[in-house]
C-alpha cells in the first residue's frame, strides 16, 4: 500500500485537475443537452461506436449492416477488450452494458491521466507532468474521454506500457501492450515502441535526452542501475516482454481471418467494408483539397491544413527536445495511422487523442509560466473545451 501511496500523492494535483476539467465538461454537456431536449447520458453511452461495443458485449460477434451502396459494416471491426469489460461489469452489477462501458471509460480516463503524468514526470519532472495531463484533459474533443468509447482505455494501457518501458519493466510493458492490442488497431503503435526499446536495450544504445530546452531529462530505461536486475535476467525479461507485446493485436486479427474464412488479411476486408484503410493520406489530401472549391468551405480547408501542420510541428519539436525514442516511435505510428486513414476524416482529432506525447512541447512551455498564469490559461481553455464538447456531441459528434 505504501508503494502506491507515494506515487499517488505525487500525481494527486494532476488527477484532481483532470477530474475537475472532466466534471466541468460533463456539467456543461448535461445543461446543454437538456436545453436542446436531448439526454447527455444517451449521447455518452448509446450513440455511434458505443452502440457497436455494447452490441458486441450483449450478442457477441457476427452482427453486420448491409448498406444500399453495397458496403458491409461488421462489428468484427471493433476490438474486444472494451466489450469484454462491459460484459464483466454487467455480470457482477445491475448496470447495463452501456453503463458498464461508461464506468470503464471514466475509470480508464483517470488511469490514463495518471499514466501520462508518470511518463512525463519521469522524463521532464513533476510540474511538466501536471501540465501535460491538464492539456490532455482540455483537448477540444476531450469529451470523448468520458464516453463509452475505447480511447480512454487504450490511452491508459499505452501510457503505462510506455512508462514500464522507460523504467525497464519489460514484462509489464509487454503485457500492457498485449492488452492495448486487444483494444484498438492502433495498438500496433505500443507494440512498435516496446520492440524499438527492446532492440536498443539489446544493442546497448539506450537513448538519453540532453536537450537544453527541457527542464529535466531522465530517459534511461532503468532509473537506478544499482537496483536493476542482473544482465541475464534483463535480457530474458526484455525478450519475453517483446514476445508478449504483439500477441493481442495479432491474435484478434488472426481470429477474424479464421472466422471470415479469408485468412490472415481477413481483418483488412472487414475494414474495407467500412471504406476504411491506409492509403498514405491520399484520400485525406483529396478531402482537404475539395474544401477549396467554394469560399465558406475554403476556411475549413485552411483550418485543416493548419491543424495538420501543428501536429507535425509538435512532433518535430518533440524530436528536437530529445524525447525518448519509444515515445517518438509510439507518437509517430499513432499520428501516421490517424492522418493516413482513408475514411472518416472527421474522426481524425479523436484518433489523435492517444498521441499524448505531442503535448509535451506545450506542457514544457506551460510549466515555465507562473502557477497563477498557467491556471488562467488552462481554466480558459477548459471552459472553451467544455462548450465545444457539448456543442459537438449535440451536433455531428464522433462519426
Amino acid at each position: 500500500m505504501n508503494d502506491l501511496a507515494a506515487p499517488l500523492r505525487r500525481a494527486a494535483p494532476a488527477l484532481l485537475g483532470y477530474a475537475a476539467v472532466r466534471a466541468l465538461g460533463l456539467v456543461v454537456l448535461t445543461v446543454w443537452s437538456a436545453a436542446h431536449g436531448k439526454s447527455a447520458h444517451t449521447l455518452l453511452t448509446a450513440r455511434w461506436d458505443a452502440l457497436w461495443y455494447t452490441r458486441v458485449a450483449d450478442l457477441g460477434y457476427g452482427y453486420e449492416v448491409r448498406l444500399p451502396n453495397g458496403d458491409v459494416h461488421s462489428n468484427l471491426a471493433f476490438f474486444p477488450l472494451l466489450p469484454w469489460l462491459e460484459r464483466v461489469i454487467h455480470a457482477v452489477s445491475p448496470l447495463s452494458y452501456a453503463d458498464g462501458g461508461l464506468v470503464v471509460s471514466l475509470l480508464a480516463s483517470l488511469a490514463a491521466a495518471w499514466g501520462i503524468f508518470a511518463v512525463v514526470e519521469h522524463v521532464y519532472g513533476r510540474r511538466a507532468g501536471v501540465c501535460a495531463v491538464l492539456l490532455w484533459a482540455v483537448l477540444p474533443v476531450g469529451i470523448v474521454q468520458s464516453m463509452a468509447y475505447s480511447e480512454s482505455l487504450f490511452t491508459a494501457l499505452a501510457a503505462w506500457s510506455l512508462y514500464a518501458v522507460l523504467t525497464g519493466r519489460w514484462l509489464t510493458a509487454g503485457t500492457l501492450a498485449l492488452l492495448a492490442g486487444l483494444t484498438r488497431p492502433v495498438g500496433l503503435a505500443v507494440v512498435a515502441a516496446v520492440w524499438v526499446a527492446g532492440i536498443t536495450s539489446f544493442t546497448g544504445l539506450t537513448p538519453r535526452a540532453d536537450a537544453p530546452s527541457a527542464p529535466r531529462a531522465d530517459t534511461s530505461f532503468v532509473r537506478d542501475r544499482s537496483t536493476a536486475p542482473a544482465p541475464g535476467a534483463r535480457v530474458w525479461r526484455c525478450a519475453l516482454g517483446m514476445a508478449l507485446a504483439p500477441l493481442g493485436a495479432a491474435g484478434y486479427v488472426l481470429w477474424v481471418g479464421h472466422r471470415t474464412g479469408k485468412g490472415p488479411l481477413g481483418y483488412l476486408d472487414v475494414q474495407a467494408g467500412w471504406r476504411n484503410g491506409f492509403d498514405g493520406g491520399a484520400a485525406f489530401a483529396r478531402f482537404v483539397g475539395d474544401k477549396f472549391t467554394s469560399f465558406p468551405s475554403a476556411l475549413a480547408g485552411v483550418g485543416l491544413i493548419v491543424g495538420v501542420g501543428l501536429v507535425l510541428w509538435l512532433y518535430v519539436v518533440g524530436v528536437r527536445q530529445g524525447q525518448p525514442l519509444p515515445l517518438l516511435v509510439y507518437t509517430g505510428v499513432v499520428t501516421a495511422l490517424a492522418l493516413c486513414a482513408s475514411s472518416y476524416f472527421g474522426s481524425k482529432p479523436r484518433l489523435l487523442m492517444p498521441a499524448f506525447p505531442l503535448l509535451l512541447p506545450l506542457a514544457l512551455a506551460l510549466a515555465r509560466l507562473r502557477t497563477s498564469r498557467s491556471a488562467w490559461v488552462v481554466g480558459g481553455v477548459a471552459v472553451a473545451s467544455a462548450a465545444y464538447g457539448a456543442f459537438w456531441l449535440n451536433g455531428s459528434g464522433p462519426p
Side-chain angles (χ1 to χ4, degrees):
M1 182 63 69
N2 290 335
D3 291 341
L4 182 62
L8 184 57
R9 281 196 299 269
R10 287 201 305 272
L15 296 180
L16 290 173
Y18 177 81
V21 172
R22 291 273 41 88
L24 173 64
L26 292 174
V27 168
V28 172
L29 175 65
T30 300
V31 173
W32 193 301
S33 300
H36 290 79
K38 296 183 180 180
S39 166
H41 179 265
T42 299
L43 292 174
L44 293 171
T45 63
R47 296 288 302 277
W48 305 292
D49 289 5
L51 287 174
W52 287 89
Y53 283 119
T54 56
R55 190 173 285 117
V56 172
D58 185 16
L59 303 175
Y61 285 104
Y63 176 82
E64 62 184 28
V65 175
R66 294 184 177 272
L67 303 183
N69 66 356
D71 291 346
V72 178
H73 288 185
S74 169
N75 64 0
L76 290 169
F78 295 87
F79 277 49
L81 186 57
L82 177 56
W84 286 348
L85 294 175
E86 291 176 341
R87 187 176 296 174
V88 169
I89 291 175
H90 174 71
V92 301
S93 75
L95 295 176
S96 66
Y97 295 112
D99 287 337
L102 186 62
V103 170
V104 171
S105 291
L106 292 176
L107 295 178
S109 67
L110 287 171
W114 193 356
I116 292 170
F117 171 81
V119 169
V120 182
E121 185 206 26
H122 180 77
V123 180
Y124 292 122
R126 186 184 187 193
R127 187 176 178 86
V130 172
C131 291
V133 170
L134 294 177
L135 288 174
W136 191 67
V138 301
L139 288 173
V141 294
I143 191 64
V144 174
Q145 297 162 17
S146 301
M147 297 178 66
Y149 269 44
S150 60
E151 273 78 6
S152 290
L153 178 60
F154 174 78
T155 305
L157 294 168
W160 283 109
S161 180
L162 291 170
Y163 178 74
V165 164
L166 295 175
T167 54
R169 297 172 172 87
W170 296 106
L171 295 181
T172 300
T175 301
L176 293 174
L178 184 157
L179 293 174
L182 286 170
T183 307
R184 296 184 64 81
V186 76
L188 294 174
V190 190
V191 176
V194 172
W195 272 70
V196 166
I199 292 171
T200 56
S201 178
F202 284 141
T203 58
L205 299 176
T206 303
R208 305 190 66 87
D210 298 310
S213 58
R216 171 175 147 238
D218 177 11
T219 61
S220 58
F221 291 159
V222 180
R223 212 172 211 182
D224 186 354
R225 297 287 182 181
S226 65
T227 61
R234 275 204 308 274
V235 169
W236 77 258
R237 289 182 183 179
C238 180
L240 183 54
M242 292 174 67
L244 286 172
L247 294 184
Y252 181 68
V253 167
L254 291 175
W255 178 81
V256 170
H258 173 74
R259 183 182 176 99
T260 59
K262 296 183 178 180
L265 301 181
Y267 183 77
L268 298 181
D269 290 334
V270 171
Q271 286 286 5
W274 288 79
R275 293 187 178 269
N276 200 16
F278 187 89
D279 65 355
F284 184 44
R286 290 194 299 270
F287 173 77
V288 174
D290 290 342
K291 295 295 182 181
F292 291 92
T293 57
S294 63
F295 172 70
S297 65
L299 297 178
V302 171
L304 288 170
I305 293 174
V306 171
V308 172
L310 176 62
V311 168
L312 298 178
W313 177 76
L314 288 173
Y315 187 79
V316 171
V317 173
V319 173
R320 296 180 63 185
Q321 289 181 337
Q323 285 185 21
L325 183 59
L327 296 189
L328 294 174
V329 170
Y330 167 77
T331 307
V333 175
V334 173
T335 302
L337 291 176
L339 294 182
C340 297
S342 60
S343 188
Y344 296 99
F345 307 115
S347 297
K348 295 193 182 296
R350 173 170 66 87
L351 299 178
L352 283 168
M353 193 165 60
F356 66 89
L358 288 173
L359 299 172
L360 265 61
L362 300 178
L364 292 174
L366 190 63
R368 296 188 186 100
L369 300 178
R370 292 197 303 267
T371 300
S372 58
R373 183 171 297 179
S374 60
W376 277 107
V377 171
V378 172
V381 178
V383 171
S385 174
Y388 177 77
F391 169 78
W392 187 47
L393 286 195
N394 278 275
S396 60

